[in-house]
Amino acid sequence: MPFLVWEPSFSVGIWEIDRQHRSLIGLINQLHVAVSGVDPDKKLQAVFVATVDCVRNHFAFEESFLERLGYEELAGHKEIHNELLDQLGDMRRQFDAGPLGVSPELVKLLKEWMTTHILQCDHGYAELAAQKSQRLMATALVD
């Protein structure tokens, strides 16, 4: 059974953002398997790096989308993103510097952060996005 399962309640109603969230959930599940010792250390490194990169790319996309949306809470949303990016950056530096720095606690943190962030923060822009998404997604995907 996967460590984290996509639930319909996670959907923000924006196909591309939901797709990215599903990808992040898949990476968190892979990271959980790798940290659990089922996969070799090299797999752990690859999955961890992919997870950090995916989070960074997702946040950039989402923030660009929210800016185009005119989301009034964007500054606060960016702060929340930056807090996680700082934590992941610290973990990445530790990981790159020496012995394995990815722990089961980090994977648990990512799982809890992901579900809480989607359900509490990302759902905050869902209604506004539903009103404007068709026009905005066309331009967001072109950029």
Side-chain angles (χ1 to χ4, degrees):
M1 173 146 193
F3 180 66
L4 179 57
V5 177
W6 173 263
E7 300 286 340
S9 63
F10 293 162
S11 176
V12 295
I14 301 159
W15 181 88
E16 179 60 19
I17 291 176
D18 286 344
R19 185 195 66 74
Q20 291 177 14
H21 286 161
R22 283 186 180 99
S23 293
L24 284 167
I25 287 171
L27 286 166
I28 291 168
N29 285 327
Q30 289 179 42
L31 195 57
H32 174 70
V33 169
V35 167
S36 299
V38 177
D39 286 338
D41 295 346
K42 192 167 189 169
K43 172 77 172 179
L44 175 59
Q45 181 179 12
V47 174
F48 180 66
V49 169
T51 302
V52 172
D53 290 346
C54 189
V55 167
R56 186 177 292 113
N57 292 334
H58 168 67
F59 286 172
F61 179 88
E62 186 176 78
E63 290 168 6
S64 173
F65 179 80
L66 294 177
E67 186 174 343
R68 291 168 192 244
L69 189 65
Y71 185 54
E72 293 179 4
E73 303 297 322
L74 178 58
H77 205 87
K78 281 183 176 182
E79 284 181 34
I80 293 167
H81 284 175
N82 287 334
E83 288 173 12
L84 182 64
L85 288 173
D86 288 346
Q87 287 179 299
L88 290 175
D90 290 344
M91 292 298 298
R92 174 102 186 243
R93 282 185 288 282
Q94 291 173 5
F95 188 87
D96 290 344
L100 293 180
V102 178
S103 67
E105 290 77 26
L106 171 66
V107 180
K108 184 178 178 186
L109 168 83
L110 287 170
K111 176 183 180 179
E112 291 172 2
W113 192 93
M114 183 80 182
T115 57
T116 301
H117 183 75
I118 291 172
L119 293 173
Q120 294 178 3
C121 298
D122 289 355
H123 275 262
Y125 64 74
E127 186 176 329
L128 178 61
Q131 298 168 3
K132 299 182 177 182
S133 67
Q134 295 298 326
R135 179 175 49 86
L136 292 172
M137 286 308 294
T139 58
L141 291 173
V142 171
D143 289 347

